[in-house]
Coordinates of all heavy atoms in Angstrom, one line a residue:
V23 N 53.2 18.4 -39.2 CA 53.0 17.6 -40.5 C 54.0 16.5 -40.4 O 53.7 15.3 -40.6 CB 53.2 18.5 -41.7 CG1 53.1 17.5 -42.9 CG2 52.0 19.5 -41.8
Q26 N 53.2 13.9 -37.8 CA 52.0 13.1 -38.2 C 52.3 12.2 -39.4 O 51.9 11.0 -39.3 CB 50.8 14.1 -38.8 CG 50.2 14.8 -37.7 CD 49.3 16.0 -38.3 OE1 49.4 16.4 -39.3 NE2 48.3 16.2 -37.4
T27 N 53.0 12.6 -40.4 CA 53.5 11.8 -41.4 C 54.2 10.6 -40.9 O 54.1 9.4 -41.2 CB 54.2 12.4 -42.6 OG1 53.5 13.5 -43.0 CG2 54.7 11.7 -43.7
L30 N 52.2 8.1 -39.3 CA 51.3 7.1 -40.2 C 52.2 6.2 -40.9 O 51.8 5.1 -41.2 CB 50.6 8.1 -41.2 CG 49.5 9.0 -40.6 CD1 49.1 10.0 -41.5 CD2 48.3 8.1 -40.2
T35 N 50.2 3.0 -42.6 CA 48.9 3.4 -43.3 C 49.3 4.6 -44.3 O 48.3 4.9 -45.2 CB 47.9 4.0 -42.3 OG1 48.4 5.1 -41.6 CG2 47.4 2.8 -41.4
A36 N 50.3 5.3 -44.3 CA 50.7 6.3 -45.2 C 50.8 5.7 -46.6 O 51.1 4.6 -46.8 CB 52.1 6.9 -44.8
P37 N 50.3 6.5 -47.6 CA 50.0 7.9 -47.6 C 48.6 8.2 -47.2 O 48.2 9.4 -47.2 CB 50.2 8.3 -49.1 CG 49.8 7.0 -49.8 CD 50.2 5.8 -48.9
N38 N 47.8 7.3 -46.7 CA 46.5 7.6 -46.2 C 46.6 8.2 -44.8 O 47.3 7.8 -44.0 CB 45.6 6.3 -46.1 CG 45.3 5.8 -47.4 OD1 45.1 6.5 -48.4 ND2 45.2 4.4 -47.5
A39 N 45.9 9.3 -44.5 CA 46.0 10.1 -43.3 C 44.8 10.0 -42.4 O 44.7 10.4 -41.4 CB 46.3 11.5 -43.6
D40 N 43.7 9.0 -42.9 CA 42.5 9.0 -42.2 C 42.6 8.2 -40.8 O 41.8 8.4 -39.9 CB 41.4 8.2 -43.1 CG 41.8 6.9 -43.5 OD1 43.0 6.5 -43.5 OD2 40.9 6.2 -43.9
E41 N 43.7 7.5 -40.6 CA 44.0 6.9 -39.4 C 43.9 7.9 -38.2 O 43.6 7.6 -37.1 CB 45.2 6.0 -39.3 CG 45.3 5.1 -38.1 CD 44.2 4.1 -38.0 OE1 43.7 3.7 -39.1 OE2 44.0 3.6 -36.8
L42 N 44.5 9.1 -38.6 CA 44.5 10.1 -37.5 C 43.0 10.5 -37.0 O 42.9 10.6 -35.8 CB 45.1 11.4 -38.0 CG 46.6 11.2 -38.3 CD1 47.0 12.5 -39.1 CD2 47.6 11.1 -37.1
F80 N 34.9 17.5 -43.4 CA 35.5 17.1 -44.6 C 35.7 15.6 -44.8 O 36.5 15.2 -45.5 CB 36.7 18.0 -44.9 CG 37.9 17.7 -43.9 CD1 39.0 16.9 -44.3 CD2 38.1 18.4 -42.7 CE1 40.0 16.7 -43.4 CE2 39.1 18.3 -41.9 CZ 40.0 17.4 -42.2
N85 N 35.6 13.8 -50.4 CA 36.8 14.5 -50.0 C 38.1 13.6 -49.7 O 39.0 13.9 -49.1 CB 36.5 15.2 -48.6 CG 35.5 16.2 -48.8 OD1 35.6 17.1 -49.8 ND2 34.4 16.3 -48.0
A86 N 38.1 12.5 -50.5 CA 39.3 11.5 -50.4 C 40.5 12.1 -50.5 O 41.6 11.8 -49.9 CB 39.1 10.4 -51.3
D87 N 40.7 13.2 -51.4 CA 42.0 13.9 -51.5 C 42.4 14.6 -50.4 O 43.7 15.0 -50.3 CB 41.9 14.8 -52.9 CG 40.9 15.9 -52.7 OD1 39.8 15.6 -52.1 OD2 41.2 17.1 -53.2
L88 N 41.6 14.8 -49.4 CA 42.0 15.6 -48.2 C 42.6 14.6 -47.2 O 43.0 15.0 -46.1 CB 40.8 16.4 -47.6 CG 40.4 17.5 -48.5 CD1 39.0 18.1 -47.9 CD2 41.4 18.6 -48.7
W89 N 42.6 13.3 -47.3 CA 42.9 12.3 -46.4 C 44.2 11.6 -46.8 O 44.2 10.4 -46.8 CB 41.7 11.4 -46.1 CG 40.6 12.1 -45.6 CD1 39.6 12.6 -46.2 CD2 40.4 12.4 -44.2 NE1 38.7 13.2 -45.3 CE2 39.2 13.2 -44.1 CE3 41.1 12.2 -43.1 CZ2 38.7 13.6 -42.9 CZ3 40.6 12.6 -41.8 CH2 39.4 13.4 -41.7
T90 N 45.1 12.4 -47.2 CA 46.5 11.9 -47.6 C 47.5 12.6 -46.8 O 47.3 13.7 -46.4 CB 46.6 12.0 -49.1 OG1 46.7 13.4 -49.4 CG2 45.6 11.4 -49.9
T91 N 48.7 12.0 -46.8 CA 49.9 12.8 -46.1 C 50.1 14.1 -46.9 O 50.6 15.0 -46.3 CB 51.1 11.8 -46.1 OG1 51.4 11.3 -47.3 CG2 50.8 10.7 -45.1
R92 N 50.0 14.0 -48.2 CA 50.2 15.3 -48.9 C 49.2 16.4 -48.5 O 49.6 17.5 -48.4 CB 50.0 15.1 -50.4 CG 50.3 16.3 -51.2 CD 50.2 15.9 -52.8 NE 50.4 17.3 -53.5 CZ 50.8 17.3 -54.7 NH1 51.0 16.2 -55.4 NH2 51.0 18.5 -55.2
A93 N 48.0 16.1 -48.3 CA 47.1 17.1 -47.8 C 47.4 17.5 -46.4 O 47.0 18.7 -46.1 CB 45.6 16.5 -47.9
L94 N 48.1 16.8 -45.6 CA 48.5 17.2 -44.2 C 49.2 18.6 -44.3 O 49.1 19.4 -43.5 CB 49.3 16.1 -43.5 CG 48.6 14.9 -43.1 CD1 49.5 13.9 -42.5 CD2 47.4 15.2 -42.1
T95 N 49.9 18.6 -45.4 CA 50.8 19.7 -45.7 C 50.0 20.8 -46.3 O 50.2 22.1 -46.0 CB 52.0 19.4 -46.5 OG1 52.8 18.4 -45.9 CG2 52.9 20.7 -46.8
A96 N 49.3 20.6 -47.4 CA 48.6 21.5 -48.3 C 47.4 22.0 -48.0 O 46.9 23.2 -48.3 CB 48.7 21.0 -49.7
A97 N 46.5 21.3 -47.2 CA 45.1 21.5 -47.2 C 44.9 22.4 -46.0 O 45.3 22.1 -44.8 CB 44.4 20.2 -47.1
W100 N 43.4 20.7 -42.7 CA 44.4 20.2 -41.8 C 44.9 21.2 -40.9 O 45.3 20.9 -39.7 CB 45.4 19.2 -42.5 CG 44.7 18.0 -42.8 CD1 44.3 17.6 -44.0 CD2 44.4 16.9 -41.9 NE1 43.7 16.3 -43.9 CE2 43.7 15.9 -42.7 CE3 44.5 16.7 -40.6 CZ2 43.3 14.7 -42.1 CZ3 44.1 15.5 -40.0 CH2 43.5 14.5 -40.7
R104 N 44.8 21.1 -36.8 CA 45.8 21.2 -35.8 C 45.7 22.4 -34.8 O 45.8 22.2 -33.6 CB 47.1 21.4 -36.6 CG 47.7 20.1 -37.2 CD 49.1 20.2 -37.7 NE 49.1 20.9 -39.0 CZ 48.8 20.3 -40.2 NH1 48.6 19.0 -40.1 NH2 48.9 21.0 -41.3

Side-chain angles (χ1 to χ4, degrees):
V23 173
Q26 289 174 332
T27 301
L30 294 166
T35 63
N38 294 324
D40 59 347
E41 189 64 26
L42 293 170
F80 64 98
N85 292 311
D87 59 323
L88 295 173
W89 295 93
T90 65
T91 51
R92 181 177 177 156
L94 292 175
T95 301
W100 281 103
R104 283 189 283 280

